[in-house]
Amino acid sequence: QIKEADRPAYVNGLIAARDLGFERLEQGANAIEASLAAVVQMENNPRAFNAGTGASPNRDGIVECDAAVMAGHDGSAGAVAAVTAAQNPVLLAEKVRRESPHVLLVGAGADALATDKIDNRKLLTERSRQALKRWREKKQGPVGSATVGAVALDANGNLAAATSTGGVLGKWPGRVGDSPLLGAGTYANRQIAVSCTGKGEAFIRAVSAKDLACRLRAGESLVEAAKAVLEQIIAFDGSGGLIAITAQGQVCVGFNTPNMAYAWKSAGHEAAAIGLEPEIICF
Ligand code: ASP
């Protein structure tokens, strides 16, 4: 649930990220560069989102971030999990994609590659401190919120997906969610790019992002495919949402959480909103 008072910050943050990514595309950037620019913008936003600065801390009050990036045209990908010292975890994921012989690095090994090292306490904002305090008082289970993701289609028809998150508030130290797991929370191929948010455990078990891609390949419409993927999340005792874009430029936003903030832009159309009822929108 995005609190009423927080909604303007979320929508404005999304518009800023979307416009930056789109501007990069107009300047000739590829889909990877555009999706990274949008995600970095959201990671750096201290007033909104559960990623980078302001990411949800674990139960010990430490911010452990997960992020991934994947290029659809060649399937190249990089991801990091449980990183504590990177200002922009998604750029660390990009470093893994571009510079390492690996796909996923975790913890200290990933942090060691960060060139944007930051004291973990600087990632904790007053908002996230308060959220952790309330969470401790209520003694509830880990709570998800406001993971950030971007999907992009560039002028050459290439797709990319990027996702970044602090995971779920109050998680056990070392817990890894769906976002850095390719096929679960992040996925791109030549047909579609997908980024998910919600209860990571359900998205991992359902291998949701890849399931969406497979359903599309099998001939389902984007709406049908998104509906089936989100139903599976409910079957696995979760809720959440996804954003996707196809090689034809079809955009999909779907969620079965109480609300989800989203924004998109194409040459002829743009939108930015906080959906207040579960829905699937394909445009
Ligand atoms: N999917 C994220 C995770 O489980 C959390 C979220 O999107 O709210 O790590």
Side-chain angles (χ1 to χ4, degrees), residues 232-283:
Q232 187 60 49
I233 293 303
I234 292 177
F236 282 155
D237 202 21
S239 65
L242 57 88
I243 55 170
I245 187 166
T246 69
Q248 287 74 41
Q250 200 183 7
V251 171
C252 182
V253 176
F255 59 99
N256 52 27
T257 41
N259 38 70
M260 185 165 114
Y262 58 88
W264 79 76
K265 189 168 187 168
S266 65
H269 192 265
E270 62 180 53
I274 295 184
L276 299 177
E277 294 289 337
E279 60 183 333
I280 296 174
I281 309 159
C282 288
F283 187 82

mmCIF file of all heavy atoms in Angstrom, residues 232-283:
data_model
loop_
_atom_site.group_PDB
_atom_site.id
_atom_site.type_symbol
_atom_site.label_atom_id
_atom_site.label_comp_id
_atom_site.label_asym_id
_atom_site.label_seq_id
_atom_site.Cartn_x
_atom_site.Cartn_y
_atom_site.Cartn_z
ATOM 1 N N GLN A 232 -1.001 -17.250 -10.727
ATOM 2 C CA GLN A 232 -0.076 -18.221 -10.137
ATOM 3 C C GLN A 232 0.566 -17.658 -8.861
ATOM 4 O O GLN A 232 0.830 -18.394 -7.913
ATOM 5 C CB GLN A 232 0.996 -18.598 -11.168
ATOM 6 C CG GLN A 232 1.907 -19.728 -10.740
ATOM 7 C CD GLN A 232 1.151 -21.028 -10.468
ATOM 8 O OE1 GLN A 232 0.333 -21.452 -11.284
ATOM 9 N NE2 GLN A 232 1.398 -21.630 -9.323
ATOM 10 N N ILE A 233 0.796 -16.352 -8.863
ATOM 11 C CA ILE A 233 1.369 -15.700 -7.672
ATOM 12 C C ILE A 233 0.413 -15.842 -6.490
ATOM 13 O O ILE A 233 0.824 -16.123 -5.363
ATOM 14 C CB ILE A 233 1.659 -14.203 -7.963
ATOM 15 C CG1 ILE A 233 2.772 -14.067 -8.996
ATOM 16 C CG2 ILE A 233 2.030 -13.443 -6.691
ATOM 17 C CD1 ILE A 233 4.057 -14.748 -8.620
ATOM 18 N N ILE A 234 -0.869 -15.685 -6.776
ATOM 19 C CA ILE A 234 -1.867 -15.835 -5.703
ATOM 20 C C ILE A 234 -1.877 -17.291 -5.222
ATOM 21 O O ILE A 234 -1.932 -17.559 -4.024
ATOM 22 C CB ILE A 234 -3.256 -15.395 -6.202
ATOM 23 C CG1 ILE A 234 -3.241 -13.881 -6.439
ATOM 24 C CG2 ILE A 234 -4.342 -15.764 -5.187
ATOM 25 C CD1 ILE A 234 -4.509 -13.309 -7.004
ATOM 26 N N ALA A 235 -1.785 -18.206 -6.183
ATOM 27 C CA ALA A 235 -1.767 -19.629 -5.809
ATOM 28 C C ALA A 235 -0.579 -19.948 -4.901
ATOM 29 O O ALA A 235 -0.640 -20.871 -4.092
ATOM 30 C CB ALA A 235 -1.722 -20.492 -7.067
ATOM 31 N N PHE A 236 0.487 -19.204 -5.048
ATOM 32 C CA PHE A 236 1.663 -19.403 -4.206
ATOM 33 C C PHE A 236 1.666 -18.435 -3.017
ATOM 34 O O PHE A 236 2.709 -18.055 -2.507
ATOM 35 C CB PHE A 236 2.952 -19.251 -5.023
ATOM 36 C CG PHE A 236 3.278 -20.465 -5.867
ATOM 37 C CD1 PHE A 236 4.059 -20.338 -7.006
ATOM 38 C CD2 PHE A 236 2.832 -21.721 -5.523
ATOM 39 C CE1 PHE A 236 4.376 -21.438 -7.796
ATOM 40 C CE2 PHE A 236 3.130 -22.831 -6.288
ATOM 41 C CZ PHE A 236 3.906 -22.700 -7.427
ATOM 42 N N ASP A 237 0.478 -18.003 -2.654
ATOM 43 C CA ASP A 237 0.309 -17.246 -1.428
ATOM 44 C C ASP A 237 0.981 -15.870 -1.472
ATOM 45 O O ASP A 237 1.488 -15.386 -0.461
ATOM 46 C CB ASP A 237 0.907 -18.077 -0.269
ATOM 47 C CG ASP A 237 0.338 -17.653 1.061
ATOM 48 O OD1 ASP A 237 -0.751 -17.055 1.052
ATOM 49 O OD2 ASP A 237 1.016 -17.876 2.085
ATOM 50 N N GLY A 238 1.023 -15.288 -2.671
ATOM 51 C CA GLY A 238 1.655 -13.981 -2.784
ATOM 52 C C GLY A 238 0.740 -12.989 -3.477
ATOM 53 O O GLY A 238 -0.402 -13.291 -3.806
ATOM 54 N N SER A 239 1.280 -11.810 -3.687
ATOM 55 C CA SER A 239 0.622 -10.829 -4.531
ATOM 56 C C SER A 239 1.741 -9.971 -5.090
ATOM 57 O O SER A 239 2.869 -10.015 -4.600
ATOM 58 C CB SER A 239 -0.375 -9.981 -3.726
ATOM 59 O OG SER A 239 0.321 -9.219 -2.773
ATOM 60 N N GLY A 240 1.425 -9.243 -6.143
ATOM 61 C CA GLY A 240 2.478 -8.432 -6.737
ATOM 62 C C GLY A 240 2.057 -7.861 -8.065
ATOM 63 O O GLY A 240 0.865 -7.799 -8.388
ATOM 64 N N GLY A 241 3.056 -7.469 -8.843
ATOM 65 C CA GLY A 241 2.754 -6.855 -10.122
ATOM 66 C C GLY A 241 3.919 -7.018 -11.080
ATOM 67 O O GLY A 241 4.984 -7.498 -10.711
ATOM 68 N N LEU A 242 3.674 -6.616 -12.302
ATOM 69 C CA LEU A 242 4.738 -6.697 -13.303
ATOM 70 C C LEU A 242 4.574 -5.593 -14.338
ATOM 71 O O LEU A 242 3.475 -5.069 -14.538
ATOM 72 C CB LEU A 242 4.725 -8.064 -13.987
ATOM 73 C CG LEU A 242 3.436 -8.512 -14.682
ATOM 74 C CD1 LEU A 242 3.369 -8.051 -16.127
ATOM 75 C CD2 LEU A 242 3.324 -10.035 -14.626
ATOM 76 N N ILE A 243 5.691 -5.232 -14.945
ATOM 77 C CA ILE A 243 5.662 -4.359 -16.108
ATOM 78 C C ILE A 243 6.374 -5.110 -17.228
ATOM 79 O O ILE A 243 7.300 -5.886 -16.969
ATOM 80 C CB ILE A 243 6.351 -2.988 -15.859
ATOM 81 C CG1 ILE A 243 7.791 -3.172 -15.364
ATOM 82 C CG2 ILE A 243 5.549 -2.149 -14.881
ATOM 83 C CD1 ILE A 243 8.592 -1.873 -15.343
ATOM 84 N N ALA A 244 5.901 -4.907 -18.455
ATOM 85 C CA ALA A 244 6.524 -5.598 -19.582
ATOM 86 C C ALA A 244 6.384 -4.767 -20.845
ATOM 87 O O ALA A 244 5.461 -3.946 -20.967
ATOM 88 C CB ALA A 244 5.859 -6.964 -19.784
ATOM 89 N N ILE A 245 7.317 -4.985 -21.766
ATOM 90 C CA ILE A 245 7.188 -4.369 -23.087
ATOM 91 C C ILE A 245 7.616 -5.409 -24.128
ATOM 92 O O ILE A 245 8.568 -6.173 -23.895
ATOM 93 C CB ILE A 245 8.005 -3.052 -23.204
ATOM 94 C CG1 ILE A 245 7.693 -2.358 -24.538
ATOM 95 C CG2 ILE A 245 9.495 -3.300 -23.072
ATOM 96 C CD1 ILE A 245 8.183 -0.918 -24.584
ATOM 97 N N THR A 246 6.882 -5.456 -25.237
ATOM 98 C CA THR A 246 7.206 -6.438 -26.273
ATOM 99 C C THR A 246 7.992 -5.781 -27.405
ATOM 100 O O THR A 246 8.065 -4.551 -27.498
ATOM 101 C CB THR A 246 5.932 -7.050 -26.879
ATOM 102 O OG1 THR A 246 5.269 -6.025 -27.640
ATOM 103 C CG2 THR A 246 5.001 -7.607 -25.822
ATOM 104 N N ALA A 247 8.523 -6.608 -28.264
ATOM 105 C CA ALA A 247 9.285 -6.096 -29.404
ATOM 106 C C ALA A 247 8.404 -5.283 -30.348
ATOM 107 O O ALA A 247 8.899 -4.479 -31.144
ATOM 108 C CB ALA A 247 9.928 -7.267 -30.155
ATOM 109 N N GLN A 248 7.097 -5.481 -30.263
ATOM 110 C CA GLN A 248 6.168 -4.678 -31.073
ATOM 111 C C GLN A 248 5.813 -3.365 -30.376
ATOM 112 O O GLN A 248 5.032 -2.570 -30.899
ATOM 113 C CB GLN A 248 4.864 -5.456 -31.345
ATOM 114 C CG GLN A 248 4.983 -6.596 -32.356
ATOM 115 C CD GLN A 248 5.725 -7.783 -31.746
ATOM 116 O OE1 GLN A 248 5.513 -8.123 -30.590
ATOM 117 N NE2 GLN A 248 6.617 -8.379 -32.524
ATOM 118 N N GLY A 249 6.316 -3.163 -29.176
ATOM 119 C CA GLY A 249 6.048 -1.919 -28.456
ATOM 120 C C GLY A 249 4.790 -1.969 -27.616
ATOM 121 O O GLY A 249 4.333 -0.944 -27.111
ATOM 122 N N GLN A 250 4.233 -3.157 -27.429
ATOM 123 C CA GLN A 250 3.063 -3.263 -26.570
ATOM 124 C C GLN A 250 3.522 -3.227 -25.108
ATOM 125 O O GLN A 250 4.495 -3.905 -24.738
ATOM 126 C CB GLN A 250 2.323 -4.575 -26.855
ATOM 127 C CG GLN A 250 0.893 -4.519 -26.381
ATOM 128 C CD GLN A 250 0.138 -5.828 -26.577
ATOM 129 O OE1 GLN A 250 0.705 -6.849 -26.960
ATOM 130 N NE2 GLN A 250 -1.140 -5.789 -26.303
ATOM 131 N N VAL A 251 2.824 -2.421 -24.324
ATOM 132 C CA VAL A 251 3.213 -2.234 -22.926
ATOM 133 C C VAL A 251 2.187 -2.914 -22.029
ATOM 134 O O VAL A 251 0.993 -2.869 -22.313
ATOM 135 C CB VAL A 251 3.244 -0.716 -22.601
ATOM 136 C CG1 VAL A 251 3.427 -0.481 -21.105
ATOM 137 C CG2 VAL A 251 4.342 -0.023 -23.385
ATOM 138 N N CYS A 252 2.642 -3.530 -20.954
ATOM 139 C CA CYS A 252 1.707 -4.154 -20.014
ATOM 140 C C CYS A 252 2.067 -3.780 -18.587
ATOM 141 O O CYS A 252 3.230 -3.825 -18.194
ATOM 142 C CB CYS A 252 1.741 -5.670 -20.173
ATOM 143 S SG CYS A 252 0.568 -6.505 -19.101
ATOM 144 N N VAL A 253 1.051 -3.372 -17.824
ATOM 145 C CA VAL A 253 1.189 -3.147 -16.390
ATOM 146 C C VAL A 253 0.113 -4.001 -15.736
ATOM 147 O O VAL A 253 -1.059 -3.858 -16.073
ATOM 148 C CB VAL A 253 0.924 -1.667 -16.023
ATOM 149 C CG1 VAL A 253 0.977 -1.483 -14.510
ATOM 150 C CG2 VAL A 253 1.901 -0.742 -16.713
ATOM 151 N N GLY A 254 0.491 -4.901 -14.862
ATOM 152 C CA GLY A 254 -0.519 -5.739 -14.205
ATOM 153 C C GLY A 254 -0.168 -5.924 -12.752
ATOM 154 O O GLY A 254 1.007 -6.043 -12.402
ATOM 155 N N PHE A 255 -1.167 -5.917 -11.906
ATOM 156 C CA PHE A 255 -0.884 -6.133 -10.484
ATOM 157 C C PHE A 255 -2.124 -6.611 -9.766
ATOM 158 O O PHE A 255 -3.243 -6.311 -10.160
ATOM 159 C CB PHE A 255 -0.355 -4.843 -9.826
ATOM 160 C CG PHE A 255 -1.287 -3.664 -9.902
ATOM 161 C CD1 PHE A 255 -2.088 -3.326 -8.827
ATOM 162 C CD2 PHE A 255 -1.371 -2.912 -11.066
ATOM 163 C CE1 PHE A 255 -2.946 -2.242 -8.900
ATOM 164 C CE2 PHE A 255 -2.238 -1.827 -11.144
ATOM 165 C CZ PHE A 255 -3.020 -1.493 -10.064
ATOM 166 N N ASN A 256 -1.901 -7.370 -8.688
ATOM 167 C CA ASN A 256 -3.011 -7.779 -7.836
ATOM 168 C C ASN A 256 -2.751 -7.372 -6.392
ATOM 169 O O ASN A 256 -3.333 -7.919 -5.462
ATOM 170 C CB ASN A 256 -3.310 -9.279 -7.971
ATOM 171 C CG ASN A 256 -2.071 -10.129 -7.768
ATOM 172 O OD1 ASN A 256 -1.150 -9.719 -7.074
ATOM 173 N ND2 ASN A 256 -2.053 -11.294 -8.378
ATOM 174 N N THR A 257 -1.860 -6.400 -6.233
ATOM 175 C CA THR A 257 -1.619 -5.772 -4.928
ATOM 176 C C THR A 257 -2.645 -4.640 -4.778
ATOM 177 O O THR A 257 -3.274 -4.253 -5.777
ATOM 178 C CB THR A 257 -0.207 -5.158 -4.892
ATOM 179 O OG1 THR A 257 0.023 -4.531 -6.150
ATOM 180 C CG2 THR A 257 0.849 -6.204 -4.675
ATOM 181 N N PRO A 258 -2.796 -4.077 -3.575
ATOM 182 C CA PRO A 258 -3.780 -2.987 -3.420
ATOM 183 C C PRO A 258 -3.501 -1.825 -4.375
ATOM 184 O O PRO A 258 -4.400 -1.227 -4.918
ATOM 185 C CB PRO A 258 -3.618 -2.554 -1.974
ATOM 186 C CG PRO A 258 -3.042 -3.738 -1.281
ATOM 187 C CD PRO A 258 -2.202 -4.464 -2.294
ATOM 188 N N ASN A 259 -2.220 -1.492 -4.576
ATOM 189 C CA ASN A 259 -1.939 -0.487 -5.609
ATOM 190 C C ASN A 259 -0.527 -0.631 -6.139
ATOM 191 O O ASN A 259 0.322 -1.294 -5.542
ATOM 192 C CB ASN A 259 -2.185 0.960 -5.148
ATOM 193 C CG ASN A 259 -1.791 1.212 -3.724
ATOM 194 O OD1 ASN A 259 -0.613 1.225 -3.408
ATOM 195 N ND2 ASN A 259 -2.767 1.380 -2.853
ATOM 196 N N MET A 260 -0.329 -0.035 -7.295
ATOM 197 C CA MET A 260 1.007 -0.062 -7.900
ATOM 198 C C MET A 260 1.201 1.215 -8.720
ATOM 199 O O MET A 260 0.298 1.618 -9.470
ATOM 200 C CB MET A 260 1.169 -1.281 -8.797
ATOM 201 C CG MET A 260 2.594 -1.409 -9.341
ATOM 202 S SD MET A 260 2.942 -3.024 -10.027
ATOM 203 C CE MET A 260 3.172 -2.595 -11.743
ATOM 204 N N ALA A 261 2.356 1.811 -8.544
ATOM 205 C CA ALA A 261 2.666 3.034 -9.282
ATOM 206 C C ALA A 261 3.417 2.664 -10.559
ATOM 207 O O ALA A 261 4.276 1.790 -10.542
ATOM 208 C CB ALA A 261 3.525 3.949 -8.417
ATOM 209 N N TYR A 262 3.050 3.305 -11.664
ATOM 210 C CA TYR A 262 3.702 2.981 -12.941
ATOM 211 C C TYR A 262 3.705 4.201 -13.854
ATOM 212 O O TYR A 262 2.901 5.129 -13.681
ATOM 213 C CB TYR A 262 2.982 1.806 -13.625
ATOM 214 C CG TYR A 262 1.517 2.073 -13.892
ATOM 215 C CD1 TYR A 262 1.092 2.686 -15.075
ATOM 216 C CD2 TYR A 262 0.556 1.735 -12.942
ATOM 217 C CE1 TYR A 262 -0.245 2.946 -15.305
ATOM 218 C CE2 TYR A 262 -0.785 1.997 -13.162
ATOM 219 C CZ TYR A 262 -1.181 2.603 -14.348
ATOM 220 O OH TYR A 262 -2.517 2.887 -14.567
ATOM 221 N N ALA A 263 4.594 4.183 -14.818
ATOM 222 C CA ALA A 263 4.638 5.256 -15.813
ATOM 223 C C ALA A 263 5.246 4.687 -17.080
ATOM 224 O O ALA A 263 6.118 3.815 -17.001
ATOM 225 C CB ALA A 263 5.477 6.421 -15.307
ATOM 226 N N TRP A 264 4.770 5.116 -18.220
ATOM 227 C CA TRP A 264 5.423 4.717 -19.454
ATOM 228 C C TRP A 264 5.338 5.835 -20.486
ATOM 229 O O TRP A 264 4.532 6.760 -20.360
ATOM 230 C CB TRP A 264 4.866 3.414 -20.013
ATOM 231 C CG TRP A 264 3.561 3.505 -20.749
ATOM 232 C CD1 TRP A 264 3.359 3.988 -22.010
ATOM 233 C CD2 TRP A 264 2.275 3.094 -20.281
ATOM 234 N NE1 TRP A 264 2.031 3.883 -22.347
ATOM 235 C CE2 TRP A 264 1.347 3.335 -21.317
ATOM 236 C CE3 TRP A 264 1.821 2.529 -19.088
ATOM 237 C CZ2 TRP A 264 -0.018 3.047 -21.177
ATOM 238 C CZ3 TRP A 264 0.471 2.237 -18.970
ATOM 239 C CH2 TRP A 264 -0.427 2.488 -19.993
ATOM 240 N N LYS A 265 6.171 5.726 -21.489
ATOM 241 C CA LYS A 265 6.176 6.738 -22.540
ATOM 242 C C LYS A 265 6.578 6.076 -23.838
ATOM 243 O O LYS A 265 7.500 5.252 -23.880
ATOM 244 C CB LYS A 265 7.186 7.834 -22.174
ATOM 245 C CG LYS A 265 7.128 9.051 -23.073
ATOM 246 C CD LYS A 265 7.941 10.178 -22.447
ATOM 247 C CE LYS A 265 7.793 11.469 -23.196
ATOM 248 N NZ LYS A 265 8.326 12.611 -22.458
ATOM 249 N N SER A 266 5.864 6.412 -24.903
ATOM 250 C CA SER A 266 6.262 5.982 -26.240
ATOM 251 C C SER A 266 6.185 7.222 -27.119
ATOM 252 O O SER A 266 5.793 8.287 -26.641
ATOM 253 C CB SER A 266 5.318 4.887 -26.745
ATOM 254 O OG SER A 266 4.028 5.420 -26.902
ATOM 255 N N ALA A 267 6.530 7.071 -28.391
ATOM 256 C CA ALA A 267 6.546 8.250 -29.262
ATOM 257 C C ALA A 267 5.172 8.936 -29.260
ATOM 258 O O ALA A 267 5.086 10.157 -29.297
ATOM 259 C CB ALA A 267 6.944 7.845 -30.666
ATOM 260 N N GLY A 268 4.105 8.158 -29.170
ATOM 261 C CA GLY A 268 2.784 8.788 -29.283
ATOM 262 C C GLY A 268 1.963 8.838 -28.015
ATOM 263 O O GLY A 268 0.861 9.377 -28.014
ATOM 264 N N HIS A 269 2.463 8.318 -26.919
ATOM 265 C CA HIS A 269 1.598 8.194 -25.749
ATOM 266 C C HIS A 269 2.407 8.189 -24.463
ATOM 267 O O HIS A 269 3.515 7.684 -24.439
ATOM 268 C CB HIS A 269 0.811 6.878 -25.862
ATOM 269 C CG HIS A 269 -0.311 6.788 -24.874
ATOM 270 N ND1 HIS A 269 -0.181 6.171 -23.661
ATOM 271 C CD2 HIS A 269 -1.578 7.252 -24.923
ATOM 272 C CE1 HIS A 269 -1.333 6.261 -22.998
ATOM 273 N NE2 HIS A 269 -2.202 6.913 -23.741
ATOM 274 N N GLU A 270 1.827 8.747 -23.403
ATOM 275 C CA GLU A 270 2.487 8.625 -22.116
ATOM 276 C C GLU A 270 1.454 8.522 -21.004
ATOM 277 O O GLU A 270 0.312 8.970 -21.158
ATOM 278 C CB GLU A 270 3.432 9.801 -21.854
ATOM 279 C CG GLU A 270 2.777 11.147 -21.787
ATOM 280 C CD GLU A 270 3.792 12.247 -21.515
ATOM 281 O OE1 GLU A 270 4.788 12.331 -22.260
ATOM 282 O OE2 GLU A 270 3.585 13.003 -20.556
ATOM 283 N N ALA A 271 1.849 7.917 -19.912
ATOM 284 C CA ALA A 271 0.956 7.771 -18.776
ATOM 285 C C ALA A 271 1.780 7.678 -17.512
ATOM 286 O O ALA A 271 2.934 7.248 -17.542
ATOM 287 C CB ALA A 271 0.124 6.504 -18.925
ATOM 288 N N ALA A 272 1.189 8.114 -16.404
ATOM 289 C CA ALA A 272 1.815 7.955 -15.094
ATOM 290 C C ALA A 272 0.688 7.941 -14.082
ATOM 291 O O ALA A 272 -0.165 8.825 -14.096
ATOM 292 C CB ALA A 272 2.770 9.104 -14.790
ATOM 293 N N ALA A 273 0.653 6.933 -13.244
ATOM 294 C CA ALA A 273 -0.465 6.829 -12.310
ATOM 295 C C ALA A 273 -0.124 5.896 -11.162
ATOM 296 O O ALA A 273 0.849 5.145 -11.210
ATOM 297 C CB ALA A 273 -1.688 6.290 -13.041
ATOM 298 N N ILE A 274 -0.981 5.970 -10.144
ATOM 299 C CA ILE A 274 -0.950 4.947 -9.108
ATOM 300 C C ILE A 274 -2.260 4.180 -9.241
ATOM 301 O O ILE A 274 -3.340 4.734 -9.023
ATOM 302 C CB ILE A 274 -0.810 5.567 -7.710
ATOM 303 C CG1 ILE A 274 0.550 6.267 -7.611
ATOM 304 C CG2 ILE A 274 -0.942 4.493 -6.630
ATOM 305 C CD1 ILE A 274 0.891 6.837 -6.285
ATOM 306 N N GLY A 275 -2.160 2.941 -9.674
ATOM 307 C CA GLY A 275 -3.361 2.119 -9.803
ATOM 308 C C GLY A 275 -3.859 1.780 -8.419
ATOM 309 O O GLY A 275 -3.076 1.366 -7.557
ATOM 310 N N LEU A 276 -5.155 1.973 -8.190
ATOM 311 C CA LEU A 276 -5.701 1.768 -6.845
ATOM 312 C C LEU A 276 -6.490 0.480 -6.718
ATOM 313 O O LEU A 276 -6.894 0.088 -5.634
ATOM 314 C CB LEU A 276 -6.584 2.964 -6.446
ATOM 315 C CG LEU A 276 -5.859 4.314 -6.395
ATOM 316 C CD1 LEU A 276 -6.827 5.425 -6.054
ATOM 317 C CD2 LEU A 276 -4.707 4.295 -5.403
ATOM 318 N N GLU A 277 -6.724 -0.179 -7.805
ATOM 319 C CA GLU A 277 -7.437 -1.457 -7.812
ATOM 320 C C GLU A 277 -6.626 -2.431 -8.648
ATOM 321 O O GLU A 277 -6.110 -2.036 -9.697
ATOM 322 C CB GLU A 277 -8.806 -1.299 -8.492
ATOM 323 C CG GLU A 277 -9.799 -0.414 -7.790
ATOM 324 C CD GLU A 277 -10.331 -1.053 -6.525
ATOM 325 O OE1 GLU A 277 -10.270 -2.301 -6.444
ATOM 326 O OE2 GLU A 277 -10.773 -0.325 -5.626
ATOM 327 N N PRO A 278 -6.552 -3.681 -8.240
ATOM 328 C CA PRO A 278 -5.838 -4.655 -9.073
ATOM 329 C C PRO A 278 -6.344 -4.611 -10.512
ATOM 330 O O PRO A 278 -7.559 -4.561 -10.755
ATOM 331 C CB PRO A 278 -6.209 -5.988 -8.418
ATOM 332 C CG PRO A 278 -6.435 -5.643 -6.994
ATOM 333 C CD PRO A 278 -7.055 -4.270 -6.998
ATOM 334 N N GLU A 279 -5.458 -4.580 -11.457
ATOM 335 C CA GLU A 279 -5.873 -4.554 -12.864
ATOM 336 C C GLU A 279 -4.722 -4.959 -13.767
ATOM 337 O O GLU A 279 -3.577 -5.071 -13.336
ATOM 338 C CB GLU A 279 -6.374 -3.147 -13.251
ATOM 339 C CG GLU A 279 -5.329 -2.060 -13.085
ATOM 340 C CD GLU A 279 -5.878 -0.663 -13.415
ATOM 341 O OE1 GLU A 279 -6.825 -0.549 -14.214
ATOM 342 O OE2 GLU A 279 -5.338 0.313 -12.872
ATOM 343 N N ILE A 280 -5.072 -5.215 -15.018
ATOM 344 C CA ILE A 280 -4.063 -5.492 -16.035
ATOM 345 C C ILE A 280 -4.350 -4.541 -17.194
ATOM 346 O O ILE A 280 -5.422 -4.559 -17.772
ATOM 347 C CB ILE A 280 -4.138 -6.961 -16.504
ATOM 348 C CG1 ILE A 280 -3.799 -7.892 -15.342
ATOM 349 C CG2 ILE A 280 -3.169 -7.200 -17.667
ATOM 350 C CD1 ILE A 280 -3.986 -9.357 -15.642
ATOM 351 N N ILE A 281 -3.375 -3.706 -17.485
ATOM 352 C CA ILE A 281 -3.536 -2.731 -18.555
ATOM 353 C C ILE A 281 -2.522 -3.073 -19.637
ATOM 354 O O ILE A 281 -1.326 -3.159 -19.349
ATOM 355 C CB ILE A 281 -3.204 -1.302 -18.059
ATOM 356 C CG1 ILE A 281 -3.971 -0.979 -16.768
ATOM 357 C CG2 ILE A 281 -3.482 -0.268 -19.120
ATOM 358 C CD1 ILE A 281 -3.334 0.130 -15.979
ATOM 359 N N CYS A 282 -2.985 -3.259 -20.860
ATOM 360 C CA CYS A 282 -2.039 -3.464 -21.954
ATOM 361 C C CYS A 282 -2.315 -2.391 -22.979
ATOM 362 O O CYS A 282 -3.459 -2.139 -23.341
ATOM 363 C CB CYS A 282 -2.189 -4.851 -22.561
ATOM 364 S SG CYS A 282 -1.555 -6.129 -21.464
ATOM 365 N N PHE A 283 -1.273 -1.774 -23.434
ATOM 366 C CA PHE A 283 -1.458 -0.640 -24.334
ATOM 367 C C PHE A 283 -0.594 -0.796 -25.586
ATOM 368 O O PHE A 283 0.578 -1.089 -25.467
ATOM 369 C CB PHE A 283 -1.086 0.647 -23.618
ATOM 370 C CG PHE A 283 -1.407 1.860 -24.431
ATOM 371 C CD1 PHE A 283 -2.690 2.376 -24.445
ATOM 372 C CD2 PHE A 283 -0.430 2.466 -25.204
ATOM 373 C CE1 PHE A 283 -2.994 3.501 -25.217
ATOM 374 C CE2 PHE A 283 -0.734 3.581 -25.972
ATOM 375 C CZ PHE A 283 -2.010 4.103 -25.972
#
